[in-house]
Amino acid sequence: MRLPSLKLWIICALAVLASACGKNEEQVKTEIWLPDTKVVKLPMEEYATIPFNTTREEAKDKFACTAYELSFSCKIKVDGKEEAIWLIYNEAGRLVLMKKELGYFNKDVADTIIERFTIKYGLDYTPSEGQESAFAAGIRKSKTYIFGGGQVAFQIGRSLNNRNELMLIYYFPEDVGTTFAKSVMN
């Protein structure tokens, strides 16, 4: 008689353990990053307290960024929250791009980001119907929304294996942003 009750006890214990694990998974959910809607004076001189004229040495020393060949990985506190951004330098050592990776595409999050960026920076460009359908068909690898005179871009792009769509935000110095915006619009 004890054997069936032992089996029953083990099954109950495993069920309790499994439900406890499920509850922990719900609590560990990562918080989705969304931009605020504070209007920004343009042209932008910095993002996340990092000026666009930051040298490679300043990125390492002042902002404690991790150096790679032409890029730096930085964890910066903005409004009490930590943000992970990439600083991309050209061969001459000039900061030409700050990039924020937001992970996999989520339509509701993407729509909210576009709406908030429109309030914050002003919307300058949205993909045309042709670009949208080419992206949906897999012919185009990305679709880009331009804000703030070209200084901010929100891009939905395909991963390297073309299986996933990823969301990225780019922040540019004014002259680089203008050039990038022109290339996207053509």
Side-chain angles (χ1 to χ4, degrees), residues 46-78:
E46 65 178 31
Y47 173 73
T49 71
I50 300 177
F52 287 119
N53 62 358
T54 300
T55 65
R56 296 169 61 92
E57 291 74 30
E58 288 173 330
K60 283 189 285 188
D61 299 338
K62 185 175 178 184
F63 300 105
C65 298
T66 303
Y68 297 94
E69 279 191 44
L70 295 175
S71 63
F72 288 76
S73 171
C74 309
K75 296 205 184 307
I76 305 295
K77 286 228 182 221
V78 178

Side-chain angles (χ1 to χ4, degrees), residues 14 39 44 50 58-60 63 76 92 100 103 109 115-116 122 126 128 132 134-135 138 140 151 161 163-164:
L14 289 173
V39 177
M44 294 170 33
I50 300 177
E58 288 173 330
K60 283 189 285 188
F63 300 105
I76 305 295
K100 183 169 184 54
V109 172
E115 178 183 311
R116 290 184 178 193
T126 60
S128 68
E132 289 276 359
F135 179 75
R140 284 183 70 97
Q151 285 199 270
N161 63 10
R163 293 186 184 160
N164 302 305

Side-chain angles (χ1 to χ4, degrees), residues 17-102:
L17 185 60
S19 72
C21 290
K23 288 179 184 172
N24 284 343
E25 286 178 15
E26 290 175 19
Q27 293 172 356
V28 178
K29 287 183 181 176
T30 57
E31 187 177 323
I32 296 171
W33 179 89
L34 289 172
D36 61 41
T37 55
K38 292 182 252 176
V39 177
V40 172
K41 181 183 169 216
L42 297 174
M44 294 170 33
E45 300 293 324
E46 65 178 31
Y47 173 73
T49 71
I50 300 177
F52 287 119
N53 62 358
T54 300
T55 65
R56 296 169 61 92
E57 291 74 30
E58 288 173 330
K60 283 189 285 188
D61 299 338
K62 185 175 178 184
F63 300 105
C65 298
T66 303
Y68 297 94
E69 279 191 44
L70 295 175
S71 63
F72 288 76
S73 171
C74 309
K75 296 205 184 307
I76 305 295
K77 286 228 182 221
V78 178
D79 296 329
K81 294 182 181 180
E82 189 173 88
E83 281 191 35
I85 59 173
W86 287 90
L87 307 181
I88 314 298
Y89 287 83
N90 64 13
E91 294 81 11
R94 179 176 181 225
L95 176 60
V96 293
L97 168 66
M98 291 186 200
K99 179 173 82 169
K100 183 169 184 54
E101 299 171 350
L102 300 179

Side-chain angles (χ1 to χ4, degrees), residues 99-103 105 110 113-114 117 127 135 140-147 152-158 165-170 172 180 184:
K99 179 173 82 169
K100 183 169 184 54
E101 299 171 350
L102 300 179
F105 173 74
I113 289 170
I114 293 166
F117 274 176
F135 179 75
R140 284 183 70 97
K141 297 290 184 192
S142 64
K143 59 181 179 178
T144 306
Y145 299 80
I146 305 290
F147 306 88
V152 180
F154 174 63
Q155 187 174 74
I156 301 165
R158 302 206 189 287
E165 292 177 1
L166 305 171
M167 298 186 298
L168 301 164
I169 297 173
Y170 302 115
F172 299 99
F180 176 78
V184 168

